[in-house]
Amino acid sequence: MPRFHIQIRERHKLLILFFLGVLGSACFIRCVGIGMEEEIYAKGRVFFSGLAADLAKEDGLFWRCVGRRGLLPIVWAGLSFTAFGLASLYLFWIYLGFSMTTALWVAMVFGGWRGPFYFWGLLFPQYLLYVPALLLIYTSCLQWNRFWRIRRAPVRRLPVGSPQLRRFFARNLLGFMLIVAGAYVESQWNPWLLKKIFIKM
């Protein structure tokens, strides 16, 4: 009997995982979204008030952004040396689809027609740097994890001089540099946009 093997390209796999997260968020919203509008509106006002107060104290904002945005890539890099590396990379895309869809829904409940502007105001322009950084580190960790899972069985030691390890560190370094640049933009430019456009609305 013939055997059929369907190959799914990596980018298609990521889109499928992302839309699984979107579907999960839609189910979550359908189940718990009814009757939460008043609570979301009240908490949204508290959130933006707290955000305005946080932006007023600009001390240490850059390092807080670096810590928050750099934590996930550090976890990826560490887990790429283990058997859980691939699962952690793929689960991230489900979480990303779920969290972005839920955040957009909350922003629209709170802001109405201005909700999408609130949503993008929290992301722009720093995510123009964060997204390439995450994709670069994701690809690097994915390739290294596949290589390491094959190589570690016969060798059982870290191949220090291998080109795969050099590429892994070089790509991760470039990705972390983009994250640091994004943290600078988030701490310096994004607060100005929020204060001028969103907080005073």
Side-chain angles (χ1 to χ4, degrees):
M1 188 171 180
R3 297 176 63 184
F4 298 96
H5 180 66
I6 300 175
Q7 289 187 348
I8 302 177
R9 292 180 181 272
E10 192 64 32
R11 60 177 177 271
H12 296 153
K13 190 184 297 182
L14 299 186
L15 284 174
I16 291 170
L17 292 171
F18 180 83
F19 282 114
L20 282 175
V22 172
L23 182 62
S25 176
C27 294
F28 171 77
I29 292 168
R30 183 178 177 84
C31 292
V32 303
I34 300 173
M36 289 187 64
E37 288 82 2
E38 291 184 5
E39 183 180 357
I40 289 171
Y41 186 74
K43 289 187 176 179
R45 293 182 66 87
V46 172
F47 169 76
F48 275 100
S49 300
L51 183 62
D54 190 34
L55 294 176
K57 332 170 173 168
E58 297 181 353
D59 299 337
L61 183 58
F62 168 73
W63 293 110
R64 289 200 299 274
C65 293
V66 170
R68 291 171 186 166
R69 310 311 173 199
L71 178 61
L72 179 64
I74 290 172
V75 171
W76 279 355
L79 289 179
S80 62
F81 289 87
T82 71
F84 302 102
L86 191 63
S88 69
L89 291 171
Y90 285 161
L91 286 173
F92 164 75
W93 292 97
I94 299 177
Y95 167 76
L96 182 66
F98 182 90
S99 61
M100 288 193 70
T101 306
T102 306
L104 179 59
W105 171 70
V106 169
M108 292 182 70
V109 169
F110 173 72
W113 66 270
R114 294 181 295 189
F117 297 99
Y118 284 123
F119 178 76
W120 290 114
L122 294 170
L123 303 180
F124 183 82
Q126 63 270 20
Y127 273 80
L128 296 176
L129 293 166
Y130 287 149
V131 170
L134 287 175
L135 288 174
L136 181 63
I137 296 173
Y138 171 85
T139 304
S140 172
C141 292
L142 182 66
Q143 291 178 351
W144 171 255
N145 182 256
R146 286 175 175 169
F147 169 77
W148 179 239
R149 282 186 292 120
I150 296 170
R151 181 69 183 268
R152 68 178 176 173
V155 177
R156 298 187 180 277
R157 64 183 178 84
L158 188 65
V160 177
S162 67
Q164 289 85 356
L165 187 61
R166 288 197 297 270
R167 281 198 297 268
F168 172 74
F169 282 118
R171 289 173 179 173
N172 282 358
L173 179 61
L174 179 58
F176 279 108
M177 288 171 64
L178 287 172
I179 286 176
V180 170
Y184 177 81
V185 170
E186 184 175 3
S187 61
Q188 300 298 320
W189 298 0
N190 186 250
W192 183 87
L193 290 173
L194 288 172
K195 288 176 184 177
K196 297 295 182 182
I197 300 173
F198 298 104
I199 300 297
K200 293 184 178 181
M201 289 178 69

